[in-house]
Amino acid sequence: MRAFSPGRGTKILLALLGALVVFLLLFDWDWLRGPLNRTISEKTQRRFDSSHLAVQLGWNPVIRLKDVYFANADWADGTGDHPMARIGTLEFSVSLRDLWNGKVFVPRVAMDQAELNFEKAKDERRNWVLGEPSETKEPSKLLISSLSVRQGKLRYVDRTTPFDIGVDVETFDPAAAAKADDAKARPDNARYTTRYRFAGTYHDAKFSGQAQTGDVLSFQGSDVPFPIQGRLVAGTTRLDVEGTVADAANISGIDVRLNIAGNTLANLYPFLLLPLPASPPYRLSGHLKLDGNRYSMQDIQGRIGKTDVAGEAAYVQREPRPLLTTTLHSKLLNLPDLGPLVGLTTKETADARPLTQAETQTRERAQAREKQTSGERALPTGTVQGERLLPTGKFEGGRFKAIDAKADLRVDRIDAPDFIALQNLRVKLDLKDAVLRLDPFDVDLADGEIRSVVRLDAQQPTLRADVDITARRLKLARLVPPSPRLAPSSGAMGARAKLSASGNSIADLAAKADGQVQAALSRGQVSNLLDAVSGLNGGKILTLLMGGDKPIPINCGAVSFDVKDGQGKSQLFVIDTEDTRIEGDGGFDLDHERFDLTIAPKPKKAGILSLRTPVRVYGSFRSPDFELDKAGLALRGGGAVALALVNPLAALLPLIETGPGEDTDCQRLLASAGPAAKAAAPTTRSRP
């Protein structure tokens, strides 16, 4: 027997392989279309059909189907009228290498005349998951890297959100359209070639817009960016985007310029689910980037009403809570524009129905809705709503638990209608594990400064607050409104308030506050006319009005109130000038926002036409009032009338001031004021 020749065997093997290749090349793949349609239909329990099947062999074989029809899930909406897929031409490539690893990796899907309907049910079922019900929660083994569409329509419905969007796709560039349905064509994303028009609803809020991209969308897991330019309009809100995005289905990269503008921030509520304030018109812009799990917004610029803002921010998705960091600067902050962000007006309560897009279409509508769902606490008996000064808007404790945050805020000037102009606000915010700390929280006022440390603990349903505020060297000349008839004042005041309370609004916290409030005056000057008025010295007032007012020295002054459950009671109240020692007594009620003080002037010098008597200063914080001690006035006035019957000149005797006031031991008085006295003392140390 002749031995078998290896060379001859090789030739036979090559011939067989060649014959197999020729067979595969000439094979009519359409013969497999019927069995393929039946197999997919049986496996998925849905009708699958196609009119043509072709295959191009290679390491990444290309499969081409025509007139594809794939029925929807039997639970989906409009199943009969809306199949999950109806595609004129479908072409896609498959990686053989990944098939060995149990994955189906599709480098590119190309379609024309496509209609796609995707839906996610309330129970998390998804109509595009092609498996048994028990497998629907397992991660999908199908990965589509890129997508191109010549012409098509897409509808996606997520009933868990709820979210509903319809998209029309068209490749309008002729050169790009010629290869949009070719899965092997080389993508060219150097220019805009494909247009997307979309419209939908999110939480019953309508939106619409359009976008342009390049030839191919990166779809999943590619990290390959594609260009995008678009605009979204929702109610009175407009968002413009331009830049690049990677992976449309599961975004892995963002590098875009954002511009957003609208009539009021409240109109964003249906999309952000945050009860933002009924602000005036705004516009904001920035450069948004996504790197891994970190979103960064750089070069933030914009205005909200009269308030300008600039800076940067970052958002990191992490467990157990995301982290937001931001650095912002404003040259002018108009408090009425942004007050509601910190509870300066009312907020929607947690159990109130969500705001609708129509209710937040304009600032006026949003303000009206805020009043309807204010969640304000019941006003104490005898308090009129219009007299409220302390904000009653509720803090939403849930916000503190949803995120951690670090922020640096700097504001050059603050416009606040009810306050003297504030400048140079400096705030560092640290929110961690539902505990918010503001340290420092400093602002300049009246050529001095107010330094504060604030701690809010939202770990329990009712917020716990601890506040430590120190006012340093506030100039009297800046606190007293200037007048051409009054001599200028000078000197400095210091104050210290250390309070703790529980409540869910600034008003609630004040009404339950415990602690101490102190204030002190250092040496300076005050209008002699004001001093005369405080002592009701008529002769001196006439002299000053005719001859002109002059400043007189302030020796010292100090007040101290103990606060319990929002009720402040004076423990010390003395102001000592060159001519008068003024003593006071009384208290304030933070719950009702009222105060009642009796001030008793005690002149140190003799005079005439004096009606020296205590003055009662009282009323609401917003509308103070005063009255004279009628008993004292009646006594002096009655004595003057009685003596006038004897001798007209004798009528002056009850109006002569004998000057019983004594000089105050200022060192001892200021020692009683504690930290407030130190805060009032002048210093040569430069401000940090």
Side-chain angles (χ1 to χ4, degrees):
M1 180 182 293
R2 189 168 58 180
F4 178 78
S5 171
R8 184 180 178 189
T10 302
K11 291 179 181 179
I12 294 173
L13 180 59
L14 290 174
L16 290 173
L17 289 175
L20 179 61
V21 171
V22 171
F23 172 77
L24 292 175
L25 292 174
L26 297 178
F27 179 73
D28 186 357
W29 292 93
D30 233 4
W31 294 347
L32 298 179
R33 178 174 54 84
L36 178 64
N37 292 345
R38 290 191 297 272
T39 300
I40 295 177
S41 298
E42 291 173 0
K43 289 289 186 182
T44 62
Q45 296 298 303
R46 303 190 208 172
R47 177 191 161 197
F48 180 85
D49 200 3
S50 62
S51 66
H52 178 68
L53 170 64
V55 178
Q56 296 179 15
L57 297 177
W59 288 114
N60 292 334
V62 176
I63 301 169
R64 187 177 183 87
L65 295 167
K66 287 188 176 182
D67 300 323
V68 174
Y69 180 96
F70 192 21
N72 216 331
D74 56 10
W75 50 264
D77 183 39
T79 302
D81 299 330
H82 301 287
M84 195 188 87
R86 183 187 283 120
I87 307 171
T89 302
L90 171 63
E91 186 169 298
F92 59 93
S93 55
V94 179
S95 170
L96 294 179
R97 179 186 305 172
D98 288 277
L99 286 176
W100 290 107
N101 298 324
K103 297 180 180 179
V104 181
F105 176 65
V106 178
R108 178 171 175 178
V109 172
M111 294 184 287
D112 188 18
Q113 299 298 319
E115 176 192 346
L116 303 174
N117 294 285
F118 298 137
E119 184 172 346
K120 184 178 180 181
K122 290 184 178 180
D123 60 3
E124 302 289 338
R125 287 180 298 174
R126 294 156 286 175
N127 71 336
W128 64 90
V129 175
L130 310 178
E132 298 296 331
S134 61
E135 301 173 355
T136 57
K137 293 185 179 181
E138 294 182 2
S140 175
K141 296 180 181 180
L142 174 64
L143 181 66
I144 300 174
S145 179
S146 61
L147 173 69
S148 62
V149 181
R150 183 169 185 172
Q151 192 170 20
K153 296 178 181 291
L154 166 69
R155 186 186 180 209
Y156 174 68
V157 179
D158 184 344
R159 303 195 182 282
T160 63
T161 305
F163 175 65
D164 188 335
I165 185 173
V167 184
D168 289 339
V169 187
E170 178 188 13
T171 300
F172 60 85
D173 182 88
K179 59 181 182 178
D181 59 352
D182 184 354
K184 295 190 302 180
R186 294 177 60 86
D188 180 8
N189 278 338
R191 65 189 190 283
Y192 297 121
T193 63
T194 306
R195 181 181 295 111
Y196 299 80
R197 292 185 175 90
F198 58 88
T201 60
Y202 180 76
H203 287 281
D204 297 324
K206 296 180 179 179
F207 64 88
S208 62
Q210 70 174 33
Q212 298 182 119
T213 68
D215 287 4
V216 174
L217 293 180
S218 59
F219 199 66
Q220 289 176 287
S222 70
D223 295 327
V224 176
F226 60 85
I228 185 170
Q229 180 188 62
R231 169 172 289 185
L232 180 147
V233 178
T236 59
T237 304
R238 187 185 71 249
L239 174 66
D240 293 303
V241 178
E242 184 170 14
T244 60
V245 174
D247 299 326
N250 188 15
I251 294 176
S252 61
I254 299 176
D255 189 348
V256 299
R257 186 76 189 177
L258 296 177
N259 292 278
I260 185 170
N263 286 352
T264 175
L265 287 169
N267 197 228
L268 293 173
Y269 177 87
F271 300 94
L272 302 181
L273 298 183
L274 291 175
L276 295 177
S279 73
Y282 68 94
R283 55 177 178 82
L284 298 168
S285 65
H287 188 179
L288 177 64
K289 288 187 175 183
L290 170 61
D291 184 9
N293 64 342
R294 185 178 189 271
Y295 293 84
S296 64
M297 179 73 83
Q298 301 169 345
D299 191 26
I300 298 173
Q301 301 284 339
R303 298 187 71 85
I304 303 174
K306 297 178 182 179
T307 300
D308 67 279
V309 63
E312 59 185 19
Y315 177 88
V316 179
Q317 186 62 51
R318 64 176 194 177
E319 295 296 337
R321 291 172 300 277
L323 172 65
L324 174 67
T325 59
T326 182
T327 301
L328 296 174
H329 172 239
S330 176
K331 295 179 181 177
L332 170 64
L333 189 154
N334 188 44
L335 202 59
D337 293 343
L338 298 180
L341 288 174
V342 292
L344 295 186
T345 63
T346 58
K347 283 286 190 296
E348 180 187 22
T349 56
D351 57 350
R353 66 175 176 83
L355 295 174
T356 67
Q357 192 175 42
E359 289 170 329
T360 58
Q361 191 84 347
T362 65
R363 188 185 190 192
E364 291 73 18
R365 292 185 187 179
Q367 286 176 327
R369 175 62 177 149
E370 279 184 352
K371 292 179 181 179
Q372 294 172 3
T373 59
S374 62
E376 291 184 352
R377 65 186 178 93
L379 297 179
T381 304
T383 305
V384 179
Q385 176 64 52
E387 294 182 350
R388 300 297 306 190
L389 182 64
L390 297 175
T392 58
K394 289 190 175 181
F395 292 106
E396 299 293 340
R399 300 182 197 178
F400 291 75
K401 300 175 183 178
I403 194 171
D404 290 342
K406 292 180 179 292
D408 286 302
L409 173 64
R410 181 167 56 90
V411 178
D412 295 343
R413 186 164 67 90
I414 301 175
D415 267 357
D418 292 330
F419 300 92
I420 298 173
L422 305 170
Q423 294 181 323
N424 298 324
L425 173 68
R426 304 166 296 279
V427 181
K428 274 195 173 183
L429 178 151
D430 189 349
L431 172 62
K432 186 176 181 180
D433 196 18
V435 177
L436 172 67
R437 185 176 177 85
L438 302 176
D439 184 11
F441 190 158
D442 299 344
V443 66
D444 291 351
L445 169 67
D447 289 342
E449 60 186 10
I450 298 177
R451 292 191 171 183
S452 308
V453 176
V454 179
R455 184 179 184 273
L456 292 176
D457 187 340
Q459 293 180 333
Q460 302 300 323
T462 302
L463 268 66
R464 174 71 183 177
D466 297 286
V467 180
D468 191 345
I469 303 174
T470 301
R472 303 178 187 273
R473 300 177 298 279
L474 305 186
K475 299 295 179 62
L476 293 180
R478 297 295 302 275
L479 293 174
V480 177
S483 171
R485 309 197 70 173
L486 296 179
S489 299
S490 65
M493 183 183 80
R496 171 81 180 276
K498 192 170 185 181
L499 301 169
S500 298
S502 296
N504 285 330
S505 73
I506 294 178
D508 284 342
L509 290 169
K512 301 177 180 66
D514 296 333
Q516 193 173 51
V517 177
Q518 297 176 323
L521 292 171
S522 67
R523 285 187 173 274
Q525 296 183 130
V526 70
S527 160
N528 200 6
L529 181 58
L530 284 179
D531 181 70
V533 171
S534 72
L536 299 180
N537 191 326
K540 187 175 180 181
I541 292 172
L542 292 175
T543 303
L544 292 171
L545 288 177
M546 290 185 293
D549 189 19
K550 297 179 181 179
I552 62 169
I554 296 175
N555 297 324
C556 56
V559 297
S560 179
F561 292 86
D562 285 343
V563 183
K564 182 67 175 177
D565 291 331
Q567 308 294 310
K569 183 174 177 55
S570 63
Q571 304 299 314
L572 174 69
F573 196 124
V574 175
I575 299 175
D576 189 85
T577 73
E578 183 180 71
D579 293 345
T580 309
R581 174 185 166 98
I582 302 172
E583 298 178 358
D585 187 31
F588 54 81
D589 182 347
L590 295 176
D591 187 16
H592 293 77
E593 297 189 14
R594 304 189 69 83
F595 67 98
D596 195 334
L597 299 171
T598 299
I599 300 173
K602 296 186 177 181
K604 300 178 182 179
K605 299 179 180 179
I608 63 172
L609 298 180
S610 174
L611 295 174
R612 171 174 54 88
T613 187
V615 179
R616 180 188 174 211
V617 184
Y618 67 98
S620 70
F621 291 171
R622 186 178 290 276
S623 303
D625 203 350
F626 74 94
E627 65 180 13
L628 305 179
D629 184 345
K630 297 181 177 61
L633 284 176
L635 182 62
R636 286 202 167 200
V641 171
L643 290 173
L645 296 176
V646 178
N647 187 332
L649 294 177
L652 297 177
L653 293 177
L655 305 181
I656 294 175
E657 176 58 68
T658 59
E662 299 179 354
D663 287 336
T664 301
D665 184 343
C666 285
Q667 184 175 0
R668 183 176 180 181
L669 177 68
L670 293 176
S672 302
K678 295 181 180 179
T683 179
T684 57
R685 180 175 60 86
S686 61
R687 185 180 301 168

